[in-house]
């Protein structure tokens, strides 16, 4: 199978409180979260296996996780350095981030 033919997908795994990025049939990485109250999703840890580095999977994981949190009407609390850094580079999501567009 050629490199271009491998599909990547992000899924929310509620049972393990994480978003997972899959590369083909392999779990390539994840971003752990905790949900507080009825409004906040706190990202606490993200990692992508080194075997999959350079494929843009971390970016895909962050983007799809953030979009899903927003679609569910929740605010984002980025405690994870990777998610925080990704959000800093993507200010179009600021209005959904506690400490940026959401002041408490």
């Amino acid at each position: 199978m050629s490199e271009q033919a491998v599909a990547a997908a992000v899924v929310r795994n509620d049972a393990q409180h994480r978003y997972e990025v899959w590369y083909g049939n392999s779990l390539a990485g994840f971003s752990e979260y905790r949900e507080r109250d009825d409004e906040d999703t706190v990202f606490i840890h993200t990692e992508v296996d080194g075997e999959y580095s350079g494929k843009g999977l971390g970016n895909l994981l962050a983007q799809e996780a953030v979009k899903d949190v927003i679609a569910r009407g929740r605010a984002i609390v980025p405690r994870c350095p990777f998610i925080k850094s990704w959000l800093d580079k993507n200010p179009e999501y600021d209005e959904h981030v506690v400490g940026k567009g959401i002041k408490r």
Side-chain angles (χ1 to χ4, degrees):
M1 181 178 278
S2 72
E3 199 69 26
Q4 289 81 11
V6 177
V10 175
V11 296
R12 187 176 73 235
N13 181 334
D14 290 326
Q16 293 190 16
H17 305 287
R18 66 187 193 179
Y19 287 89
E20 299 173 340
V21 62
W22 290 81
Y23 190 71
N25 293 324
S26 299
L27 178 62
F30 60 89
S31 185
E32 290 182 278
Y33 66 86
R34 296 295 178 260
E35 293 190 337
R36 286 196 311 217
D37 306 319
D38 288 331
E39 57 188 41
D40 291 347
T41 297
V42 182
F43 285 95
I44 56 174
H45 178 71
T46 302
E47 63 182 73
V48 175
D49 191 306
E51 177 182 344
Y52 301 99
S53 65
K55 298 182 185 312
L57 298 178
N59 183 62
L60 177 66
L61 175 59
Q63 180 180 33
E64 294 303 312
V66 164
K67 288 167 108 178
D68 183 69
V69 169
I70 293 167
R72 293 173 42 229
R74 302 183 64 82
I76 299 161
V77 180
R79 298 280 184 251
C80 165
F82 181 83
I83 296 293
K84 183 181 181 323
S85 174
W86 187 89
L87 286 164
D88 288 344
K89 295 173 191 166
N90 292 275
E92 64 268 27
Y93 298 106
D94 282 0
E95 69 183 278
H96 304 283
V97 179
V98 173
K100 289 188 174 193
I102 299 174
K103 304 297 181 199
R104 293 197 185 134

